[in-house]
Amino acid sequence: MKKAISRILISALLLLFLIPMPAAADDWFEPDPGYYTLMDENGKELTVMAWEISVDDEYVSGDNKHYIVIRVDKEKRTAYTRLLGEITLPAAEMQTDSLETAEQNKGNILLYCTHSDESYVPSDGTESIKGNGGIYDVAGALQKNLEKKGVHTVFSKEKHDPHDAGAYRRSRRTAVNLIKQNMPVRAVFDIHRDAVPKSHYVTEVDGQDMTKIRIVIGRRNQNRQANEELAYKIKSVADKNYPGLVKDIFLGKGSYNQELSPRSLLFEVGTYENSKEAAQKSTAYLADVIAKALYGGTVEKHSQKTGETEGDKTKVSPINHENKKSSGGRGFLWLFAVLAVGAVGFLFISTGSREMLSKITKSSRQEFSSFLGRKKKK
């Protein structure tokens, strides 16, 4: 009897340790539309967000002011912040051409859309199209623009409907499969559009009307440092090359599946009131910024209104590789644990705790072997 109880306890502990926390905090889902307003210490509006805001969330404004949320009024959907200071974006350093050449084409960029239905009202006629939202056209445009830069990009059109609090749990499987099938991975991007008024995303780059882009980072995952570094690098290159393109950076309570791989970011490309065409235009500039941030290149300052170059050219180095030893390694170890969860859960349900312990090692070994050594058929 004692042995049976011990087996059950051990099984329960294993499940608690291996199973990822629920993703409910990753997605704010309410039947009534709305958004939160972020306020500074003087009661001035900083921005609005169609995300649930929590205490300790962080916000980096377009002018690089760094705020932390200290109080949230959920009834009024208002969050109050404290200024932490101003962030210093990574400087563009002079490098030789050989560095850019050596880094080019190393690793794949992976794209997917957690919210399959997200659409743009002026172009799609509605804000939501189940399973075939206009967001796929925007992500597809980003893929094409990255490919034009010589960057191999894989875009999954897997659907994750409905748009509810479980969407990130469903898109998690897509992200895991993308990573397994497309090693080595340079970065993983989840493409969204926002749900706030149009005025917050309208911008002009190179003299053309288009949409701003918000970067979102999950602050409860072990890849946060690597993700922050990439976000800051992207904003630095964008601010230098295409002022007005990157709107801001939000660090939210969730993980947004960013624990699966280092250098994972979520991009909000415009909002539902912007035209899809404006969002697609933005992806051409975003692709240029991503390519330079990840692989290196020459940054040339442009005037936001006229689009004319201002003669200031700087060589930008690729994002550093130091995180491969820290955040990167932990990211892939976390992915191994995620892959094992499926086998553990299935065994627990189908065979019960008595048989699970004898099978868990074999099942986990098979999952890991599939991830590490099995090649995709051509």
Side-chain angles (χ1 to χ4, degrees):
M1 182 68 179
K2 289 182 178 179
K3 289 183 178 180
I5 293 173
S6 296
R7 289 194 193 101
I8 293 171
L9 289 173
I10 292 170
S11 300
L13 287 172
L14 282 169
L15 286 170
L16 286 172
F17 179 76
L18 288 172
I19 294 176
M21 294 298 290
D26 286 1
D27 202 12
W28 179 37
F29 176 75
E30 292 187 1
D32 298 324
Y35 49 82
Y36 276 80
T37 301
L38 266 69
M39 311 291 287
D40 69 8
E41 294 164 295
N42 299 315
K44 181 182 177 182
E45 180 182 306
L46 292 171
T47 191
V48 297
M49 293 185 181
W51 296 79
E52 184 173 17
I53 307 299
S54 302
V55 171
D56 292 331
D57 285 352
E58 297 175 41
Y59 174 70
V60 177
S61 61
D63 58 356
N64 300 321
K65 297 291 194 302
H66 187 189
Y67 300 86
I68 187 167
V69 176
I70 58 173
R71 183 167 65 89
V72 178
D73 185 331
K74 291 194 174 183
E75 289 187 4
K76 296 181 179 179
R77 291 179 179 173
T78 302
Y80 301 89
T81 66
R82 183 179 74 248
L83 179 65
L84 295 177
E86 187 169 342
I87 65 167
T88 301
L89 295 177
E93 300 173 356
M94 292 301 294
Q95 298 289 340
T96 62
D97 288 337
S98 59
L99 179 58
E100 179 182 355
T101 304
E103 292 296 329
Q104 190 68 19
N105 296 322
K106 279 193 176 181
N108 301 306
I109 291 182
L110 312 180
L111 308 177
Y112 68 100
C113 302
T114 289
H115 294 149
S116 316
D117 67 314
E118 289 184 333
S119 301
Y120 299 81
V121 174
S123 305
D124 298 317
T126 178
E127 64 185 55
S128 175
I129 302 174
K130 186 176 179 180
N132 193 31
I135 194 65
Y136 283 119
D137 295 328
V138 174
L142 178 58
Q143 178 190 27
K144 289 178 182 177
N145 286 313
L146 283 166
E147 294 279 1
K148 288 178 183 178
K149 299 292 177 183
V151 180
H152 187 252
T153 308
V154 180
F155 169 37
S156 171
K157 295 183 180 179
E158 192 70 30
K159 305 180 192 315
H160 311 111
D161 295 312
H163 187 148
D164 60 13
Y168 282 94
R169 287 194 291 270
R170 292 187 289 274
S171 69
R172 186 184 193 86
R173 290 190 291 269
T174 296
V176 168
N177 288 331
L178 273 172
I179 293 167
K180 284 175 61 178
Q181 296 167 12
N182 296 283
M183 297 289 284
V185 174
R186 188 66 164 156
V188 183
F189 300 135
D190 187 3
I191 311 303
H192 293 244
R193 64 105 176 101
D194 210 339
V196 299
K198 174 182 178 179
S199 58
H200 291 275
Y201 274 89
V202 172
T203 191
E204 198 175 78
V205 178
D206 273 2
Q208 298 186 67
D209 292 330
M210 56 189 65
T211 66
K212 294 180 182 179
I213 294 167
R214 169 174 283 159
I215 302 174
V216 178
I217 300 171
R219 59 180 175 86
R220 68 167 192 185
N221 73 82
Q222 75 278 10
N223 290 323
R224 172 177 170 172
Q225 181 181 350
N227 295 337
E228 275 189 64
E229 288 177 359
L230 177 56
Y232 291 163
K233 182 91 172 186
I234 286 174
K235 191 173 188 302
S236 177
V237 174
D239 289 354
K240 181 85 172 179
N241 219 20
Y242 308 113
L245 179 67
V246 173
K247 171 179 168 56
D248 48 25
I249 301 170
F250 173 60
L251 295 94
K253 180 181 178 180
S255 69
Y256 317 122
N257 295 330
Q258 292 171 0
E259 76 277 18
L260 298 178
S261 175
R263 301 201 183 96
S264 296
L265 296 175
L266 187 156
F267 291 118
E268 299 264 23
V269 188
T271 183
Y272 73 107
E273 291 185 348
N274 294 119
S275 73
K276 182 168 62 182
E277 292 74 22
Q280 288 173 308
K281 283 182 185 178
S282 295
T283 66
Y285 297 90
L286 178 60
D288 187 44
V289 169
I290 289 171
K292 287 171 180 172
L294 286 172
Y295 303 102
T298 300
V299 170
E300 187 170 13
K301 190 172 182 181
H302 290 66
S303 166
Q304 182 175 348
K305 289 189 176 181
T306 66
E308 295 178 357
T309 60
E310 298 182 354
D312 183 6
K313 293 185 178 181
T314 310
K315 198 76 173 180
V316 117
S317 62
I319 191 82
N320 67 71
H321 287 234
E322 294 172 2
N323 293 311
K324 286 186 177 179
K325 295 180 182 179
S326 54
S327 299
R330 290 195 298 270
F332 288 116
L333 286 174
W334 184 263
L335 178 58
F336 294 160
V338 170
L339 292 171
V341 166
V344 174
F346 176 77
L347 286 171
F348 185 81
I349 293 170
S350 62
T351 67
S353 61
R354 185 175 300 233
E355 297 179 40
M356 185 179 71
L357 288 176
S358 66
K359 294 185 178 182
I360 187 171
T361 302
K362 181 179 178 182
S363 298
S364 298
R365 190 183 299 118
Q366 288 174 344
E367 288 283 355
F368 295 165
S369 175
S370 175
F371 178 83
L372 291 170
R374 203 169 290 173
K375 294 184 178 179
K376 191 171 57 172
K377 293 182 180 180
K378 294 183 179 179

